[in-house]
Each structure stands twice: as structure tokens, then as C-alpha cells.
Amino acid sequence: MNNNSQAYSATAEVASVRLRRSRWDRARVTLGKAPRSAWFGMIVFAIYLFIALFAPWLAPFDETQVFVTPFASWDATHWFGTDQIGRDVLSRLIYGARNTMGIALATTLLSFAIGGSLGIMAAINRRLLDQILSRSVDVLMAIPSLIFSLMLLSIFGSSIPNLIIIIAVLDSTRVFRLTRAVAINVVVMDYVEAARLRGDGLWWIMRHEILPNITPPLIAEFGLRFCFVFLTIAALSFLGLGIQPPTADWGSMVRENANLIQFAQFDIKAGLTPLLPAGAIALLTIAVNFIVDWFLHQTSGLRDDH
Amino acid sequence: MTTNSTSDTRQKNDLLLEMRDVRIEGFSSGRWHPIIKGIDLTLKSGEVLGLIGESGAGKSTLGLAAMGFARPGCKIVGGSIVFDGQDLAQLPESAKRHLWGTRITYVAQSAAAAFNPAHRLIEQTIEATVRAQISTSTEARKDAVALYRSLQLPEADTIGNRYPHQVSGGQLQRIMTAMAMAPRPDLIIFDEPTTALDVTTQVEVLAAMREIVASCDTAAIYITHDLAVVAQMANRIKVLRYGEEVEEADTPIMLSAPKQDYTKSLWSVRALQKPERDSMDVLLEIDHVDAAYGETPVLFDVSIVVPRGKTVAVVGESGAGKSTTARVITGWLPQSRGEVRFKGVSLPNALKSRSVQQLRQIQMIYQMADTAMNPRQTVEEIIGRPLEFYLGLKGAARERRVIELLHMIELNENFADRLPSELSGGQKQRVCIARALAAEPELIICDEVTSSLDQIVQEGILRLLMCLQEEFGITYLFITHDIATVRAIADEIVVMFQGRVIEQGTKSAVLNPPYPEYTQRLLSSVPEMDPSWLDRLLAERSRDAA
Amino acid sequence: MLKRGNVHPVLATVLKRLGLGLFTWLMVSVIIFASITMLPGDFTEAVLGQAATKETIVAFRKELGLDQPAIVRYGEWLLGVAQGDFGTSFSGRAASGQDRSRLVMDLVAPRLQNTLFLAGITAIIAVPLALFLGLTTALYRNSLYDRIVNAVALTTISMPEFFLAYILILLLASLWPILPSLANVNTEMALPERLIRIALPAMSLTLVIIAHMMRMTRAAVINLLALPYVEMARLKGATRTAVIMKHVLPNAWAPIATVIAFNLAYLVVGVVVVEVVFVYPGIGQLMVDAVTSRDIPVVQACALIFAVTYILLNLIADIIGIITNPRLLHPR
């Protein structure tokens, strides 16, 4: 080329260069831009976590301690009254945070351990393993999971370990599907092909090429699955088939105190008592949903067009 | 209709469209960015204006703005768009609707996506005409068939009764032109209408479009990134870059005497030339190979010889089997028959049975640098991995070598800790080249490595590849569909068509007569930077046919 | 076997989908049947009581067919199910061998009718409303209206069904007692009476379903609106209504059918909790009671009915998707 005054240089090509910041700085900037709903979610979640962790110190009474008057009304000793056999409702609410959240968390973790690892394996080995796993998951998902867990609980009986295993296994089908779908999108990328052509082993590829790229959607899904598991356990407990008394748990507390609602006309506080645990469940799921929504916006880079 | 009476009385050379200081913004990363930064554009009736520029220049956005339309996520923030006395920038959408589809029509880039799969083609062709009551349904149908015929569509009488998925891409693009032409509009916007087509199909579509635009005396804005294509279509050319006008001139002047350096750089690849060398030493030999994806056979009896230290260009249209050949060589797709020999030694078919040394000696560079790099690894990790894996380099030694490689690809150490998202398109492709170099290979397979890059960046990459070849004696197998690129870099050329090798030979032998029939058609279909090229070609072809 | 080429692709795809549905149903029936064989050995005692004599236990085991291999029992069970015979309930048996148990079918049939009644009423209200909300929020997305509807929907989804139900009870049955909080219907009741009784459960279910369905419809419509041929239609000067009716809707049946089927299936599950809250004599309540008393044949029957509904709804949605797909309707 003659008389090209515009000297070309590769380094000068315009790219979208971000300021390089440390991880902590970046987190702070991102948090600073978080919408109000996300802040609300994070604060609520932090409070719940605090209550769950320090339940024995925060609760005025033990979760199983029985007082003389059942269905006592709200007063200075029993802020939210007592339940049908005279246990302090506030204390049970506080312990309930620990029990219900703890069990839901354990279940979700187990479900991800099962579904996640199988999902990645199926995505890499698209032949027999994928076929078998995918078909089995299709069949398992053809039965509504609440119905399936009811059936399994009727056979194995409802104890906390049974509850965790049954729900985790049923829920892992959904985790499997998502992980597999997300991982397949990554597996077909040229950089995975490049790694395989280089001769890198399966384990290295999984660890370095696939996992870092599927983590964000999986974290978001973890939040959603946690909500779903949490609601399922609450529903089962409410039906009397989940966490069994005397362990305090929000779902069963609703059921136990449900009759109080009829007295709302005479004592609005009594009418509200069964709604407290139900509200506690709802608030937590709303909070987690808000956080997940914001997180998805942050990581996917996908936006609704405006 | 009142709208039509005006177009009947309009004289040629009347001012049809006048855009003044048009500014458009787009929404991304949470705020509004300017896309079009104040452009003027005028168009007389019956005139064809070419809008040319690279990706991100804003040419499609400007083309749509000529209709007063902004895509979701964009908005027209300033300026005036006066079409036949009405300012489209101010008009409400309900008023603009009376112009769209009747007086101003649009031909989209991907015809396959722009047709509704649920309706017959003829229904979609006449939709706007019938709704605007320009003609009755029966008349419109008759006219549509006439248009199909003049666009040289096969079975013009019945092709309209088909559904979009039942006809080919080139035919769909012509039917879309018929759809745009049906209401006999004053202005047609062609938005990269032939970009998605193969060269041999492109010629037919271009000829048909130009013919009908000229015969109906319609004004048009023709948007493309290909200067040679626009040279055939437009009376005047406007060059855009980064949402601003670079220059505008009549086509012959623009081609012979462009003023701006940027415009000159647009045909830089075509200026690149390399003397051809020959060599007897064979590095890679593909011997009577068949291959299939599952049940579908893709390659038939493919034999290619790659001499050491040379560049062998594999050319052909989509579906010719070029990339499949590459996959057989790398072992990604084991062949069903035949043999691949590297330095005289037969390579195992399957990837798994090849030794690390065999893998190291053949490296691959992909078309899309975006998907070829893990978005969560830094440049150092990307280039460092083959160093560690093949050569056992670790720690400081690895870091030193990464920086050396970065300098080889004309970048520097500051790039080492960047993520791919922080690089430009050309820089990404350079990093991919460095990753291939890191393995110290003998053969690099380049799969359309420049086709998704802008012209000026393409030239830089091709130059780099040539320098590296001089310095290290690397052999390239260069897969491309672009003849200009082939002219620039190849020593030998392999022409493929429908999974078969049509011919292999030195560049001078393949690019000069006598040609096998397909090579002749392929080469002659490549648009040239000469406004009379299409006329000449059509004249030649009709002479040959006669 | 079917020969390719002779059969219309739509028919071939539908048949394939039907085959898959049948296979799924068979597998599900195996799982449900297998549940009874997984019972711990002492369950006869649990059913008949500790005082059960050896003879009654043996007789009971024989009645269940536990002396035969599992395959044979599965075959007989499946044959029975096909004729509407789900066996005999465990409840009502005593250690003495006295048997006042009832046929599972007699227990299930009236309950199933009630549940279908409740679910049907809910669907009639919820489906059109949700589709309307989903469509309008998609069309006017990011407007104030869209934001409000979305926020409400997200909140509703996050709440357990029983929370919504109790709020409704608190407001409409307790504080302002307009509607009955117990939905104890029976067959003698006239239709208006029954409708009033189920007003609250139907409202709770509607709220839950609408939120889910509206969000899914919105997402599906936004996807469709982003397609190039929709932009093309606008650029051909079609009005908003014409774009929707002529260009979006003909291609929208498959996603809409999927959304509806998914949510009706969800309704089937939501019914369980809501029935318990309102003490509604439906199949969900029956199943919960049977699970509590470990009345396995009844649990099996209920689970099978729920599963079949679920599979059937998804099957119908897929078939609608297949027969409205122009690519299959008009093959090359």
C-alpha cells in the first residue's frame, strides 16, 4: 500500500477496555449500583440468616417448652401468644427459621450435588450416559414432584433425613436439566474443541473450561431452587407430612394455629398468628427472588430491549 | 389513492428524501450511546445511493431511519427526515404506517427470517398492496406473478403458493424484492440483501434486483459492506464509519479517486499480493478420504497435498466440505475411508489415538475468535496453556514466552492480563494466532480466520500470518470463501464443491484459464471493483448460453 | 411398522409423540407399582394392628398377591387399572380379620369429580385472564402497567399457596364474612350453592395460576415479537393489531399451548394444598389422608391419576404445537 498515512497498529485498535479493578473494588461498584429491590432482598436475607444462626440466644423460650395456657393472646411475656398446646409462638418462629432454612439449604445442596455433577457428565458424554439419564429424568418429571414426594413419604415415613433425600432426589431432576442445557452450550464452543484438540483431559476441561462458564447461571438457579425446595417443604409440613412436631417449623405452625383465623373478628391479633409463619415464608422467598433477579441481570448481560 | 398520484407526476431528479443532521442513540450497558452522529443524506427520485461501511458503522440504523423507523433499543434524537414534504422524524407511527409498505419498502438481510413461516409467499408479497387498496387481490396476484417472472424465478406461476421454508435462500431474497416492488414504491431500502448468499447465487440476485429497480425507476438506498457489490448497484456511494460520514461521491469517482485514507483502506486486502513459490517437499497428504456426519455423507474421495512451508487455500461455497476437511485432519471427525498422512506417517483417524506430539504439530485457528477463547481466562492463561501442556514451561519461563509471543503478534505485555471481552476483534484473532504459535506447530489450519473481520483488520491479520510464515516456515491450510483473500496469500489453491475436490494446482494455474466449469462460474461470480463488471458478466453468460 | 415417506410428517410426528407419552405412562406406572413392593416387611402388622393372627396376615398377604412374583402382580395390577380397578383400601381392616374396607375406586371417583369441578372453574377464570395480562404486558413492556403487574406476579409466586388462601379467609370469611371458609360440598347441593362454597378455594388457585401463567405468556410473546418477520410486518405498514393477529398469533399456538398445559398441570398440584386448607372433599385431600394413614392402594390410585393428568396435558400441548407447525404441515 502506498501513501497510507494512517499507520496501522494492532495495539491501537479500539477495544472495550475496562478499568482494571481488584475483585473487591468490582464487588463494591456492582453493589453500589444494585437496585432497591436487590438491597431489600439482601437485607432481609441477612436478617433471616442472623436469626437462624443465633436462634438459641435470641428466642425468649425453648421451642418445645409448654406453658399452661394454650392459645394465649399476645402480651408482654408471649409477644405473639402461645400455640394450641401452649408453646411460645415467637420462640417457635425464631427456631423455625433455623430448622426450616437449614433443612431447605441441606436439601438444595444435595440436589445440586446430584443434579449438577450428572448434568455436566451428560453434557460431555453425549452418547449412552446422556440418553439413559435424560430419559430417566423425563419419566421422573412426568409425575408432579409434590405428588411423588407424598407417595414416597407414605412409603418411607416422614423423618427429616427421608424428607431431605426424597426432595433432593426429585428436585435434582430439574438441576440436571438446567446444568446439562447450560453445559452443552459451553461444550459446543470452539474453545472446548480447541482444548480437546490440544489433547487436554476430560477433568481439566471440566474444571478449567466448563465450570467457570456455567457457574453464574447455576448460582442463580441455586437461589430459585432454594425457594422452590423451601416452599415444597413448607407445603409438606403444612399438610402434616414434613417436619414433625415438636420441632418448630413454619409450615406446620400455620396448620396448628389455622383455627385462630376464625376469631379474627373478635381479636385481630389472634387471627394474624397463623399468618406470621406463612408471612415469614413468603418474605424470605420474595427476598431471594429479588436477589436472583438482580444477579441474573448482572451476569447474563441480557436485557429486555427497551 | 392520493399517495400514488404524486408518484405518477414526480419527475426524475426531484428531491425525494432529505435527511439533515440525523442523530440516533442506542441503549446499552445501562445508558444511551450515540450511534449516528449527525448525518446528512439526500436522494433524488430514481436514484440509487450506496451506503457502505464496516460493522458498527451504523449503516443499517441509518437506512431504517430513512423510513423514520428505529429498532427497539434505538431512538431518533435529532435532525429531520423529510420524505416527499413530510418530516418522518416528527410524524407519529400511525401516519408513517401509511408510507411504510406502500411508498417506502424494505428488503431485509435474512430473507429466511424475514418471511412469516405461517403464510404463503404470495400472500405476504401482496399484503401491503391489498391493505392499502392500491389494487384488488386478484390484480395484485397477477402482478406478483409478473414480478416473479421478471425476477427470473422458476415456476413463477406457482412459486408464490409455497411456504417460505419450501424455497431456497436466493429465491426467497428475490421474492422479497418482488414484495418490496409490488406496491411500486418511490423508495426501497436494501439492507445487505445478498450478504447471506453464496457468490454464485449473489450474482443472479444482484442482476435481478438491479434490473427491476431500473425498469421501475425506483429510488433505492443500498446498504452493504462490500464495495464491489455496491459499485454494481449504486449511482452514488456514501462511506460511513463510527456513525459519521467519511465521504460521498458518484460511483466512478469514488472507485477511481477516493479522497479519504479510510476509504482507500477498504480495498486494502485486494491490494495485498504475494508472489507464488513452489515446493516439492510434502508435509500433509489427504488420500481419498470419505467422511460423514452420522448418516449424512459430506466428503467424497477428497485428496489434497499440502507442501511444506506453503499456503494452500481451500476455496468453495458453503456446504462444499471445506471445514469438514479441516475436522478430518485434526481428528475431530474421523474419516470413514482413506488416510491422512503427516510427514509420510499415517495419522490415526480418531483424536484419542493420536500422540501429544502429533497433536502439537497441527494447530487450528477458528473463524470466530469470540467463541474460540474461554471468556473467563486471561490472555496469559489462553496462550500459556499450550506452553505448559506441550513444552512443559512453568512460572517465569512461561510468562517470558507469553510476552515474546505477544510481541510476535504485534501486541505487548500489557495485554497479558486482559480478558477476551477487553480486546477488539482483530486483537482477539491475534491472540488465537499466538495460542497456535505457542505449540510451535508445523501446520496451522486457518478456518475462515478473516471472514468476520473488517477489511482493514483483515489486511493486518493476513500480513501477520505471512510474516510468521517467512520467519518460522509454517505451513498454512487456509480455508476461505473469499477469492480476494486467496489471491493475496495462497501458493496453491484447492477448489471444492459439494464435498468433492474440483481441482488443485498452483495459484497461477487455477486462477487462469483453462478452467473447469465450476471454477469458471465461481471465479467469474466474484464482484469486481468496476461498475461495468456485472453488465459484462451478464453479457458473457448470455452469449455462452446462446 | 410405519414406512417413511408414505405417512404425512404431521401424522408421523404425532404418532411418535403419542408413543413417547405411552412409554412415559408405562414407566410411571412401574414406579408407582414398585412403591408397594418397597414397603418394609412389617407393614401388614401396621395395617392390621399388633393383635393380628397369623391366619389373617397370611390371608392379607395372599390378597395383595405378595406370594407371587412381582412381574405377575404388576401385570394383574395393570390389567385391573385398565378396567378401573385399583384394588381395595387398607383402611377399615382389623386384626380380627373382619374386613370393612372399601374399593379404592369407590373412594376416588366422587372425590375426583369434585377436584375436576374446582380445577375446571379455576381454569375457566384464570386462563383467559392470564393470557390477556401476559399479552398486554408484553406489548406495553416497561410501562408502569407492566411493572406493577410484574411486581405483583413475582410477589404472588413467592408466596406459599396456603398463605394466599389464609389471607383470603382472613379478609373474606373472617373479618368481612361474605364467603364460607369451609368448602364442604356434597352431591346434593345445587350448582349456585356449590359455586359459592368453592369461591374462596377457586380464588386462591386462580391467583397462583395467573401469576405463573402471565409471566410465561409475557416471556413467550416477547420472544415472538423480537423475530425479524415481525419487524418486517411493521415495516410493511401493518397496524399493531394486524401485526399481532396476522403475524404473531398464527405462530404462537405452540408456545401458548405449552404455557397453558404447564400451568394446568401446576394447578393439579396446587389443588392438594388448597383442598386441605378449605377442607374440600377432593382427591388431593384424599391423597393426603391416605398418606397419613399409609393407605398405599389409595395413594397409588391418586398418584396415578395425577400423573396421567400431567402427562396428558403435556401431550396435548405438544400435539397442538406439532399440528400448527407450518414446517410440518407443508413439507418440502
Side-chain angles (χ1 to χ4, degrees):
Chain A
M1 286 232 303
N2 46 3
N3 67 9
N4 189 350
S5 59
Q6 206 180 6
Y8 174 77
S9 130
T11 46
E13 252 179 52
V14 190
S16 54
V17 181
R18 281 189 254 139
L19 280 174
R20 292 214 69 83
R21 297 191 180 100
S22 72
R23 199 169 278 230
W24 169 244
D25 280 340
R26 252 187 267 184
R28 226 176 39 202
V29 169
T30 327
L31 274 181
K33 278 197 252 168
R36 252 174 289 170
S37 62
W39 272 110
F40 167 80
M42 284 184 282
I43 291 171
V44 169
F45 190 75
I47 294 174
Y48 270 71
L49 211 61
F50 179 78
I51 293 176
L53 286 173
F54 298 101
W57 292 275
L58 292 171
F61 306 102
D62 190 72
E63 57 178 317
T64 51
Q65 193 179 344
V66 178
F67 293 89
V68 200
T69 0
F71 289 137
S73 53
W74 299 13
D75 60 31
T77 349
H78 303 292
W79 287 8
F80 293 141
T82 58
D83 69 4
Q84 86 282 10
I85 56 168
R87 291 170 298 197
D88 181 55
V89 171
L90 177 63
S91 304
R92 286 181 71 75
L93 271 178
I94 292 173
Y95 273 98
R98 161 178 273 212
N99 299 332
T100 317
M101 279 174 73
I103 291 171
L105 198 66
T107 311
T108 319
L109 284 172
L110 185 61
S111 141
F112 265 75
I114 304 170
S117 52
L118 291 180
I120 297 181
M121 275 158 69
I124 297 182
N125 180 345
R126 297 294 305 281
R127 281 179 282 268
L128 194 65
L129 183 73
D130 185 30
Q131 281 295 316
I132 294 172
L133 286 173
S134 297
R135 287 292 86 75
S136 327
V137 162
D138 285 349
V139 171
L140 285 184
M141 287 179 79
I143 310 177
S145 64
L146 185 71
I147 304 299
F148 208 160
S149 36
L150 280 177
M151 196 179 86
L152 293 178
L153 284 171
S154 75
I155 294 161
F156 297 110
S158 24
S159 64
I160 288 177
N162 276 355
L163 196 66
I164 291 179
I165 294 171
I166 288 173
I167 296 179
V169 169
L170 293 181
D171 203 56
S172 67
T173 55
R174 277 153 228 274
V175 180
F176 169 83
R177 274 214 181 156
L178 180 90
T179 316
R180 178 178 170 275
V182 178
I184 282 178
N185 282 342
V186 175
V187 166
V188 297
M189 286 287 176
D190 289 340
Y191 58 82
V192 177
E193 182 178 318
R196 292 177 94 160
L197 289 182
R198 184 160 60 225
D200 267 319
L202 215 59
W203 177 246
W204 196 91
I205 292 173
M206 212 161 136
R207 172 77 194 75
H208 289 87
E209 310 282 359
I210 298 176
L211 215 55
N213 287 296
I214 63 171
T215 315
L218 285 189
I219 291 177
E221 182 68 5
F222 189 87
L224 295 179
R225 289 328 313 160
F226 174 79
C227 286
F228 188 82
V229 164
F230 187 71
L231 287 176
T232 309
I233 292 179
L236 284 172
S237 301
F238 170 78
L239 296 174
L241 301 163
I243 301 164
Q244 298 296 317
T247 313
D249 153 77
W250 292 339
S252 25
M253 284 176 74
V254 177
R255 177 192 181 84
E256 288 158 1
N257 298 305
N259 288 336
L260 283 175
I261 273 199
Q262 296 159 12
F263 306 108
Q265 267 180 311
F266 316 107
D267 178 2
I268 180 71
K269 289 177 191 162
L272 284 177
T273 308
L275 292 183
L276 290 174
I281 296 169
L283 189 62
L284 179 64
T285 36
I286 291 171
V288 175
N289 264 322
F290 277 154
I291 302 176
V292 169
D293 248 29
W294 167 67
F295 183 82
L296 279 177
H297 256 257
Q298 279 299 310
T299 53
S300 67
L302 286 175
R303 288 170 302 273
D304 270 6
D305 37 348
H306 292 260
Chain B
M1 284 293 293
T2 50
T3 50
N4 255 33
S5 57
T6 50
S7 66
D8 293 339
T9 53
R10 179 169 303 108
Q11 299 295 307
K12 195 158 179 136
N13 296 330
D14 278 356
L15 195 60
L16 178 68
L17 174 74
E18 186 175 25
M19 299 170 82
R20 286 276 165 252
D21 193 28
V22 170
R23 276 171 289 118
I24 299 172
E25 291 184 351
F27 193 85
S28 71
S29 334
R31 54 196 188 87
W32 292 92
H33 301 267
I35 298 179
I36 299 291
K37 303 162 185 166
I39 291 186
D40 295 343
L41 184 154
T42 54
L43 192 66
K44 300 190 195 102
S45 46
E47 185 186 33
V48 180
L49 173 73
L51 273 186
I52 185 160
E54 299 174 335
S55 53
K59 44 193 195 307
S60 283
T61 312
L62 185 65
L64 286 170
M67 305 179 74
F69 182 84
R71 287 221 162 95
C74 295
K75 63 179 181 195
I76 300 170
V77 290
S80 61
I81 303 161
V82 180
F83 173 80
D84 198 25
Q86 292 166 290
D87 186 356
L88 302 184
Q90 307 298 331
L91 232 49
E93 181 158 332
S94 53
K96 285 186 279 195
R97 249 181 237 136
H98 292 295
L99 301 173
W100 293 348
T102 50
R103 297 196 57 200
I104 315 178
T105 56
Y106 178 72
V107 177
Q109 173 171 0
S110 165
F115 276 109
N116 190 329
H119 300 299
R120 291 179 197 279
L121 290 164
I122 197 155
E123 305 293 341
Q124 303 190 52
T125 309
I126 63 169
E127 183 184 344
T129 318
V130 172
R131 187 182 44 241
Q133 294 168 334
I134 293 172
S135 54
T136 65
S137 171
T138 341
E139 288 168 37
R141 266 165 218 276
K142 216 176 283 168
D143 180 57
V145 170
L147 282 171
Y148 291 158
R149 190 164 289 125
S150 64
L151 283 161
Q152 284 156 19
L153 280 158
E155 299 162 49
D157 293 311
T158 53
I159 196 168
N161 293 330
R162 299 200 205 160
Y163 285 84
H165 63 275
Q166 294 172 320
V167 302
S168 74
Q171 291 169 352
L172 270 186
Q173 203 57 266
R174 274 181 274 176
I175 294 173
M176 183 141 58
T177 308
M179 179 163 90
M181 214 63 217
R184 299 299 183 277
D186 300 314
L187 171 62
I188 302 186
I189 315 285
F190 290 99
D191 191 356
E192 306 238 19
T194 62
T195 307
L197 304 177
D198 280 325
V199 269
T200 49
T201 323
Q202 172 175 271
V203 172
E204 298 157 12
V205 175
L206 280 180
M209 285 191 308
R210 199 181 60 165
E211 170 68 29
I212 200 146
V213 168
S215 69
C216 298
D217 206 18
T218 311
I221 294 179
Y222 194 97
I223 300 163
T224 177
H225 65 277
D226 190 336
L227 201 56
V229 165
V230 84
Q232 315 308 317
M233 305 298 290
N235 308 112
R236 215 157 23 103
I237 295 176
K238 186 196 269 297
V239 182
L240 299 184
R241 191 187 198 192
Y242 303 143
E244 285 168 296
E245 178 179 320
V246 176
E247 64 178 310
E248 183 183 318
D250 286 343
T251 305
I253 299 169
M254 181 68 93
L255 293 178
S256 54
K259 288 199 201 76
Q260 300 296 320
D261 288 330
Y262 175 69
T263 316
K264 291 172 193 161
S265 78
L266 279 177
W267 49 108
S268 49
V269 169
R270 295 165 201 269
L272 210 60
Q273 276 290 347
K274 178 177 115 164
E276 135 193 347
R277 302 156 301 172
D278 51 43
S279 150
M280 294 287 86
D281 187 9
V282 172
L283 181 70
L284 178 87
E285 219 176 329
I286 302 171
D287 196 3
H288 299 290
V289 160
D290 287 359
Y293 286 116
E295 299 284 294
T296 328
V298 186
L299 295 184
F300 309 92
D301 199 26
V302 168
S303 296
I304 296 174
V305 175
V306 181
R308 183 190 295 274
K310 298 289 162 295
T311 302
V312 174
V314 180
V315 293
E317 298 178 294
S318 54
K322 306 178 303 258
S323 295
T324 313
T325 309
R327 298 182 139 211
V328 169
I329 300 171
T330 58
W332 189 254
L333 178 76
Q335 67 268 35
S336 50
R337 190 176 71 93
E339 201 178 37
V340 178
R341 282 188 296 275
F342 189 76
K343 295 201 270 189
V345 180
S346 173
L347 286 176
N349 290 12
L351 183 62
K352 272 185 189 162
S353 12
R354 296 192 182 179
S355 72
V356 172
Q357 283 313 307
Q358 283 173 329
L359 293 175
R360 181 184 66 76
Q361 286 170 337
I362 303 177
Q363 292 291 312
M364 172 117 178
I365 307 173
Y366 296 84
Q367 172 176 4
M368 307 297 286
D370 274 315
T371 58
M373 290 191 285
N374 188 334
R376 303 206 172 250
Q377 289 176 358
T378 61
V379 168
E380 178 169 0
E381 288 170 306
I382 291 168
I383 303 179
R385 179 60 190 167
L387 293 175
E388 192 180 315
F389 185 80
Y390 292 128
L391 311 171
L393 292 184
K394 286 208 171 67
R398 187 180 101 156
E399 203 180 318
R400 240 189 342 267
R401 180 69 183 148
V402 167
I403 290 168
E404 272 174 39
L405 284 162
L406 281 174
H407 283 288
M408 268 184 224
I409 54 165
E410 296 157 12
L411 298 179
N412 55 43
E413 54 273 22
N414 297 332
F415 286 83
D417 62 348
R418 286 202 194 172
L419 291 171
S421 57
E422 295 163 326
L423 303 173
S424 72
Q427 288 164 351
K428 282 179 200 163
Q429 199 54 285
R430 280 165 192 268
V431 172
C432 288
I433 294 173
R435 174 172 64 184
L437 280 182
E440 300 178 3
E442 305 222 18
L443 172 70
I444 296 184
I445 301 171
C446 304
D447 190 355
E448 303 267 10
V449 288
T450 54
S451 43
S452 52
L453 298 172
D454 290 333
Q455 289 280 324
I456 189 166
V457 183
Q458 276 189 25
E459 193 224 348
I461 298 279
L462 293 178
R463 273 179 197 280
L464 173 67
L465 287 171
M466 290 201 287
C467 285
L468 294 170
Q469 186 168 49
E470 297 268 299
E471 203 167 332
F472 304 107
I474 302 168
T475 310
Y476 295 127
L477 186 72
F478 204 98
I479 292 168
T480 182
H481 67 272
D482 182 26
I483 305 291
T485 309
V486 173
R487 285 210 171 91
I489 60 147
D491 295 303
E492 292 210 3
I493 297 177
V494 175
V495 182
M496 290 189 75
F497 179 60
Q498 294 182 349
R500 289 186 169 80
V501 172
I502 300 291
E503 66 170 325
Q504 167 162 20
T506 57
K507 176 159 67 176
S508 51
V510 173
L511 294 185
N512 291 305
Y515 308 109
E517 191 196 336
Y518 175 71
T519 313
Q520 155 82 36
R521 195 147 63 82
L522 182 69
L523 291 178
S524 66
S525 300
V526 179
E528 284 168 24
M529 210 71 85
D530 168 3
S532 63
W533 164 79
L534 188 57
D535 295 320
R536 270 191 291 119
L537 179 71
L538 294 174
E540 263 168 46
R541 286 199 178 168
S542 62
R543 197 171 52 237
D544 290 351
Chain C
M1 268 313 287
L2 295 167
K3 255 194 222 146
R4 279 212 189 133
N6 296 340
V7 183
H8 195 274
V10 169
L11 190 64
T13 322
V14 166
L15 286 175
K16 225 159 90 186
R17 184 62 189 81
L18 280 175
L20 190 68
L22 193 69
F23 169 77
T24 314
W25 183 80
L26 271 177
M27 291 319 291
V28 166
S29 76
V30 168
I31 294 176
I32 291 175
F33 171 78
S35 64
I36 200 168
T37 53
M38 285 194 292
L39 278 174
D42 60 344
F43 84 100
T44 41
E45 221 171 67
V47 172
L48 300 176
Q50 300 231 323
T53 60
K54 245 201 178 99
E55 292 80 56
T56 42
I57 289 179
V58 169
F60 183 47
R61 288 183 66 87
K62 192 166 173 128
E63 185 200 322
L64 292 179
L66 288 179
D67 50 344
Q68 286 174 321
I71 283 278
V72 177
R73 275 184 289 139
Y74 173 70
E76 284 174 0
W77 178 74
L78 200 63
L79 218 64
V81 168
Q83 297 161 355
D85 173 18
F86 286 94
T88 318
S89 164
F90 281 179
S91 65
R93 293 169 195 271
S96 58
Q98 201 180 31
D99 191 354
R100 281 193 301 272
S101 61
R102 301 170 57 191
L103 281 178
V104 173
M105 205 52 209
D106 296 343
L107 287 169
V108 169
R111 298 293 195 105
L112 183 59
Q113 277 181 7
N114 285 342
T115 294
L116 289 178
F117 180 64
L118 176 59
I121 296 285
T122 309
I124 289 172
I125 305 165
V127 172
L129 206 56
L131 291 182
F132 173 79
L133 284 172
L135 196 69
T136 48
T137 48
L139 284 179
Y140 301 98
R141 64 178 176 281
N142 296 313
S143 65
L144 186 67
Y145 165 71
D146 177 34
R147 278 162 215 258
I148 292 173
V149 173
N150 259 311
V152 172
L154 186 64
T155 317
T156 316
I157 282 173
S158 308
M159 292 180 181
E161 290 96 347
F162 53 82
F163 185 46
L164 278 174
Y166 279 124
I167 289 180
L168 287 178
I169 292 184
L170 181 70
L171 295 178
L172 299 178
S174 188
L175 290 179
W176 297 278
I178 321 169
L179 293 166
S181 69
L182 290 185
N184 47 346
V185 296
N186 58 50
T187 39
E188 280 100 61
M189 276 178 196
L191 188 65
E193 170 83 20
R194 286 176 77 168
L195 285 177
I196 290 176
R197 291 279 168 120
I198 68 155
L200 279 180
M203 272 165 77
S204 320
L205 279 173
T206 307
L207 280 175
V208 177
I209 296 300
I210 282 186
H212 274 106
M213 198 169 351
M214 171 256 140
R215 273 168 66 102
M216 290 171 71
T217 312
R218 179 178 180 274
V221 173
I222 286 181
N223 267 344
L224 286 169
L225 286 177
L227 290 171
Y229 63 78
V230 175
E231 180 182 285
M232 191 71 207
R234 283 185 69 191
L235 289 174
K236 281 201 281 182
T239 60
R240 214 168 189 140
T241 332
V243 170
I244 300 288
M245 299 309 288
K246 201 164 170 200
H247 292 278
V248 176
L249 218 52
N251 297 295
W253 296 121
I256 287 178
T258 313
V259 170
I260 293 178
F262 185 89
N263 286 285
L264 290 183
Y266 189 87
L267 183 65
V268 168
V269 180
V271 135
V272 176
V273 171
V274 170
E275 281 182 3
V276 171
V277 173
F278 294 97
V279 203
Y280 183 76
I283 194 169
Q285 170 102 48
L286 177 70
M287 183 169 183
V288 171
D289 290 343
V291 170
T292 318
S293 60
R294 298 183 117 186
D295 189 347
I296 304 294
V298 177
V299 175
Q300 279 183 326
C302 295
L304 204 62
I305 288 168
F306 280 124
V308 164
T309 323
Y310 210 77
I311 295 171
L312 216 59
L313 284 168
N314 284 318
L315 189 67
I316 293 170
D318 282 359
I319 288 178
I320 290 177
I322 293 167
I323 59 175
T324 57
N325 182 345
R327 275 163 226 272
L328 288 175
L329 274 181
H330 315 285
R332 265 168 194 275

